[in-house]
Amino acid sequence: MIEQLFGGIEGGGTKFVCVVGTSPDDIRAETRFPTTDPQATIQKALDFFRYQMEERGTLVAVGVASFGPVDLKPRSPTYGHITTTPKPGWANVDILGQISRGLGVKTAFELDVNAAAFAEWRWGAGQGLGSLVYLTVGTGIGGGAVVGGRVVHGLVHPEMGHLLIPHDRTADPFPGSCPYHGDCLEGLATGLALEQRWGRRAEELPPDHPAWELEAGYLATGLVNLILALSPERIILGGGVMGQSQLFPMIRERVQQLLAGYVGSPALLGQIDNYIVPPLLGDRAGVLGAIAMAAEA
Amino acid sequence: MIEQLFGGIEGGGTKFVCVVGTSPDDIRAETRFPTTDPQATIQKALDFFRYQMEERGTLVAVGVASFGPVDLKPRSPTYGHITTTPKPGWANVDILGQISRGLGVKTAFELDVNAAAFAEWRWGAGQGLGSLVYLTVGTGIGGGAVVGGRVVHGLVHPEMGHLLIPHDRTADPFPGSCPYHGDCLEGLATGLALEQRWGRRAEELPPDHPAWELEAGYLATGLVNLILALSPERIILGGGVMGQSQLFPMIRERVQQLLAGYVGSPALLGQIDNYIVPPLLGDRAGVLGAIAMAAEA
């Protein structure tokens, strides 16, 4: 019997991860390299998969999970492209087309954070649920939603990092770091905002620093808006900033305060520890999502 | 051939609408009556459908679109109940069970605004789209989303009216009218908030009154958050306050300003007149959604 192996690429803004395998427990090969210019970076990915295919036989399909914004509309002429990114050289790059033509196998395409959301639904902290939101808080903030077993797309794709939230400038005069919106959620709560506001990198701020109370408040407000807009059955919070695990109880408490009992669900009242949770797949969620998408291609 | 007729009930907080028919162009009978206590109100609905069934033969199914919050989980012991409403007498009422047992036909159940969203997707301003958000702005603010032809449920259901948005208390010292959250979207922008802030009913404020610029700003901020959370392919804005048609161009302009070009879609840039639109089904959207849901039961 010929093995049914899949390829997965997570094309991030700072690094690419490529794997061959079938599931979190069955990764046969993996490589990571920094994201440089599109030509060299995509060539490295092609080289990895060509070598793997020579060693192991062809892959059934390869999933590409890319940083965004991306075009997810299969009928669009720019389907599979990275679109308007400010990242030098990467705007309008046909990442899917280059992988697809370069390998000659079936492909699937998704935004990186959407792929991570899908992987957490398929194998991780949201397994079997009817819906979930996955939010990653790092140098940026991104989010994806799975509803009824499918990733939520739409006009483009969600951009949950840029939610517009209340900002009390008396309590927090920091104007926000987002070049588009100033004090949107990302502008107030990203790792970059933490560093600019406090003059120290997030990981250098002690756990009892007032930074975290403020951070928890902004993130909780963003989550409340996602609960009100989407009513997800669980929220998974990942990314570098969430490595500060003291944030979880603070965020859960603030979410309850902000909702003020309005959404009368046991999950939000007594059982919130199981509602706002860390991811289970760690930093492989994106590339595992790419494999899961490839398996459905 | 026996006709396949459906029943639809929109159970609102102030009135009930019951119809028999198959589509917006084929309503065979309709009745409207005020919402009083649950027993008398539900009895009136039962009487209407029993009479119709004597006249026309049995109905294939009846859809119930109820004011909320409601329990939409088919496996829950309180499925089909209105849950925690402050409306006197209506908390924990098994509206679906009473209709279902009273008529002995198949039933479908949905939140009123979700049913309206579904009807606008099936027959109205969102026909054929991959996704939409329907928001109604009246004495309250409610919203529903359709993604991939299905109404978005989840932990409970969305409560888009209560989004937490920036509120500049210098420009607008009104503290908000929401009993739960004060100055959430509903607290700032509902018809009740307009009346409390300006001391006059919304329909008495002239079209060039500064109330509308403020109102457009709050509604636009809410819409931007829904765009960022869900990326809908269209937003349909209905309800009594949106009868002030001067709001549409003001809201569209503010949405573009607030997004600041971040979501680079033609629908949000050049073609926003077709993106944020009024409903096509008017005040029958909810009950038509009930019929559409009955047809899928």
Side-chain angles (χ1 to χ4, degrees):
Chain A
M1 192 187 118
I2 296 168
E3 278 201 303
Q4 301 267 306
L5 285 176
F6 302 96
I9 303 178
E10 181 179 0
T14 56
K15 69 172 188 299
F16 267 54
V17 185
C18 302
V19 302
V20 170
T22 64
S23 76
D25 302 325
D26 179 33
I27 297 298
R28 311 288 178 90
E30 176 166 354
T31 186
R32 292 169 179 246
F33 45 87
T35 306
T36 58
D37 66 283
Q39 204 187 340
T41 313
I42 293 171
Q43 188 58 51
K44 271 202 168 173
L46 290 173
D47 291 346
F48 169 79
F49 287 112
R50 283 180 186 144
Y51 176 80
Q52 293 296 325
M53 284 162 76
E54 281 162 23
E55 292 287 299
R56 300 168 197 273
T58 192
L59 301 171
V60 181
V62 173
V64 179
S66 172
F67 71 91
V70 292
D71 185 341
L72 298 175
K73 297 264 187 212
R75 285 179 215 162
S76 159
T78 54
Y79 173 63
H81 289 48
I82 296 169
T83 57
T84 57
T85 178
K87 195 172 166 64
W90 283 88
N92 309 311
V93 164
D94 180 10
I95 183 170
L96 180 66
Q98 291 186 50
I99 298 293
S100 185
R101 285 188 300 272
L103 297 179
V105 299
K106 274 196 296 188
T107 48
F109 188 60
E110 197 40 274
L111 181 69
D112 52 1
V113 71
N114 282 350
F118 190 71
E120 288 287 344
W121 174 80
R122 178 79 177 72
W123 291 304
Q127 213 175 338
L129 294 180
S131 59
L132 66 81
V133 160
Y134 172 89
L135 200 75
T136 174
V137 187
T139 49
I141 298 181
V146 177
V147 174
R150 294 176 59 185
V151 171
V152 173
H153 292 175
L155 187 65
V156 188
H157 45 69
E159 288 283 2
M160 301 179 184
H162 295 269
L163 288 166
L164 304 177
I165 59 169
H167 172 205
D168 179 349
R169 283 170 187 265
T170 311
D172 173 26
F174 179 66
S177 64
C178 174
Y180 290 89
H181 314 110
D183 60 352
C184 65
L185 176 61
E186 183 166 302
L188 291 170
T190 193
L192 184 68
L194 278 164
E195 192 174 334
Q196 290 183 358
R197 185 189 287 110
W198 302 104
R200 272 188 283 176
R201 291 171 55 84
E203 51 272 41
E204 291 163 9
L205 296 164
D208 58 353
H209 193 281
W212 302 116
E213 198 62 50
L214 200 63
E215 179 75 6
Y218 292 134
L219 291 174
T221 308
L223 298 194
V224 163
N225 278 350
L226 293 170
I227 291 166
L228 296 167
L230 274 154
S231 198
E233 292 184 10
R234 187 164 290 158
I235 294 176
I236 302 166
L237 278 182
V241 171
M242 295 310 303
Q244 304 282 331
S245 59
Q246 74 275 14
L247 279 172
F248 278 94
M250 294 159 81
I251 290 170
R252 292 177 186 128
E253 193 186 339
R254 290 288 288 146
V255 164
Q256 291 179 321
Q257 287 169 357
L258 288 165
L259 281 171
Y262 187 75
V263 181
S265 164
L268 288 168
L269 303 170
Q271 301 155 28
I272 197 165
D273 290 1
N274 296 320
Y275 184 70
I276 298 172
V277 300
L280 286 183
L281 303 176
D283 66 353
R284 267 186 178 168
V287 77
L288 288 168
I291 280 188
M293 304 254 159
E296 297 205 343
Chain B
M1 194 188 116
I2 297 168
E3 278 201 304
Q4 302 267 305
L5 284 177
F6 302 96
I9 303 178
E10 181 179 1
T14 56
K15 70 172 187 298
F16 267 54
V17 185
C18 303
V19 302
V20 169
T22 64
S23 76
D25 302 325
D26 178 34
I27 298 298
R28 310 289 177 90
E30 176 166 354
T31 186
R32 291 167 179 246
F33 46 87
T35 306
T36 58
D37 66 283
Q39 205 188 338
T41 312
I42 293 172
Q43 189 57 51
K44 271 203 169 173
L46 290 174
D47 291 345
F48 169 79
F49 286 112
R50 283 180 186 142
Y51 176 80
Q52 293 296 324
M53 285 161 76
E54 281 161 23
E55 293 286 300
R56 301 169 197 274
T58 192
L59 301 171
V60 181
V62 172
V64 179
S66 173
F67 72 92
V70 292
D71 185 341
L72 297 175
K73 298 265 187 210
R75 284 179 214 163
S76 159
T78 54
Y79 173 63
H81 289 48
I82 296 169
T83 58
T84 58
T85 178
K87 195 173 167 61
W90 283 88
N92 309 310
V93 164
D94 180 11
I95 182 169
L96 181 67
Q98 291 186 51
I99 298 293
S100 184
R101 286 189 299 272
L103 297 179
V105 299
K106 275 197 297 188
T107 49
F109 187 60
E110 195 40 274
L111 180 68
D112 52 0
V113 70
N114 283 350
F118 190 71
E120 289 287 345
W121 174 80
R122 178 78 176 73
W123 290 304
Q127 211 174 339
L129 295 179
S131 58
L132 65 80
V133 160
Y134 172 90
L135 200 75
T136 174
V137 187
T139 49
I141 298 182
V146 177
V147 174
R150 294 178 58 186
V151 172
V152 173
H153 293 175
L155 187 65
V156 190
H157 46 68
E159 288 284 2
M160 301 179 185
H162 295 269
L163 288 167
L164 304 176
I165 59 168
H167 172 203
D168 179 349
R169 283 169 188 266
T170 312
D172 172 27
F174 179 65
S177 64
C178 175
Y180 291 88
H181 313 110
D183 59 352
C184 65
L185 176 61
E186 183 166 303
L188 291 170
T190 194
L192 184 67
L194 277 164
E195 191 175 335
Q196 289 183 359
R197 186 189 286 109
W198 301 104
R200 272 188 283 176
R201 292 170 55 83
E203 50 273 41
E204 291 163 9
L205 296 163
D208 58 351
H209 192 281
W212 301 117
E213 196 64 48
L214 199 63
E215 178 74 8
Y218 292 133
L219 291 174
T221 308
L223 297 194
V224 162
N225 279 349
L226 294 170
I227 292 167
L228 295 167
L230 275 154
S231 198
E233 293 184 10
R234 186 165 292 158
I235 294 176
I236 301 167
L237 278 182
V241 171
M242 294 310 302
Q244 304 283 331
S245 61
Q246 74 275 15
L247 279 172
F248 278 93
M250 293 160 81
I251 290 170
R252 292 177 186 128
E253 192 185 339
R254 289 289 287 148
V255 164
Q256 290 178 322
Q257 286 169 359
L258 288 165
L259 282 171
Y262 186 74
V263 180
S265 163
L268 289 168
L269 303 170
Q271 300 154 28
I272 197 164
D273 289 0
N274 295 320
Y275 184 71
I276 298 172
V277 300
L280 285 184
L281 303 176
D283 66 353
R284 267 186 178 167
V287 78
L288 288 168
I291 281 189
M293 304 256 159
E296 296 204 345

